[in-house]
């Protein structure tokens, strides 16, 4: 079932994005901006949970005329609960990239197929656009 794109309220979009999985961070999102992230690979699993850091990604989705524009970043999620852009080590790269591609597949299906809107990479994105290796 598709919804009229113009009638998609912030609340409805939050609900639809949250149904994809545990990626949406509502407290970092607003009516025109949505923040998603994933802690893909634990860096130090021998430490207690509150002292662990993770390799992963975050993706920012911005509403634009006719759909959404995204930009993503890879990095480290530290013990203070903050993301820092960093190169992911080779041993974790595949896991992190696969989780991002899996998420992108889900969000793009929702946006394009169900909501009948577009999704494109932000022009400033220097990394490869998503969706071609999924």
């Amino acid at each position: 079932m598709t919804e009229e794109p113009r009638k998609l309220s912030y609340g409805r979009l939050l609900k639809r994005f949250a149904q994809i999985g545990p990626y949406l961070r509502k407290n970092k999102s607003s009516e025109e901006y949505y923040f998603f992230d994933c802690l893909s690979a634990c860096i130090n699993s021998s430490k207690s949970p509150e002292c662990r850091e993770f390799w992963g990604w975050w993706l920012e989705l911005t509403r634009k005329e006719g759909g959404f524009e995204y930009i993503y970043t890879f990095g480290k999620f530290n013990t203070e609960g903050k993301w820092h852009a960093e190169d992911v080590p080779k041993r974790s790269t595949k896991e992190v990239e696969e989780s991002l591609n899996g998420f992108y597949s889900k969000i793009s299906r929702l946006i394009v197929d169900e909501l009948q809107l577009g999704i494109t990479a932000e022009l400033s994105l220097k990394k490869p656009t998503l969706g071609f290796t999924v």
Side-chain angles (χ1 to χ4, degrees), residues 13-68:
L13 279 172
L14 282 178
K15 184 177 178 183
R16 299 297 295 274
F17 290 155
Q19 290 172 339
I20 292 173
Y23 307 101
L24 176 67
R25 301 295 168 242
K26 290 180 184 179
N27 63 335
K28 292 185 176 186
S29 299
S30 66
E31 288 201 35
E32 301 298 316
Y33 170 85
Y34 301 86
F35 186 88
F36 303 86
D37 67 2
C38 180
L39 309 177
S40 303
C42 187
I43 295 171
N44 40 16
S45 60
S46 61
K47 293 186 177 183
S48 62
E50 65 276 1
C51 295
R52 293 180 187 165
E53 295 179 308
F54 295 85
W55 295 113
W57 54 264
W58 66 96
L59 184 139
E60 300 166 71
L61 194 64
T62 306
R63 279 184 101 156
K64 298 291 179 188
E65 182 67 35
F68 295 89

Side-chain angles (χ1 to χ4, degrees), residues 2-9 12-13 16-17 31-32 34 61-69 104 107-120:
T2 60
E3 297 181 47
E4 177 64 36
R6 291 187 188 104
K7 294 183 180 179
L8 288 172
S9 68
R12 284 186 185 192
L13 279 172
R16 299 297 295 274
F17 290 155
E31 288 201 35
E32 301 298 316
Y34 301 86
L61 194 64
T62 306
R63 279 184 101 156
K64 298 291 179 188
E65 182 67 35
F68 295 89
E69 191 173 72
Y104 181 78
I107 193 112
S108 63
R109 267 197 307 269
L110 170 66
I111 291 170
V112 174
D113 298 343
E114 295 181 37
L115 303 179
Q116 298 180 341
L117 296 168
I119 184 168
T120 58

Side-chain angles (χ1 to χ4, degrees), residues 94-105:
K94 182 178 178 188
E95 188 175 356
V96 172
E97 288 177 351
E98 284 178 354
S99 67
L100 176 58
N101 282 326
F103 167 75
Y104 181 78
S105 177

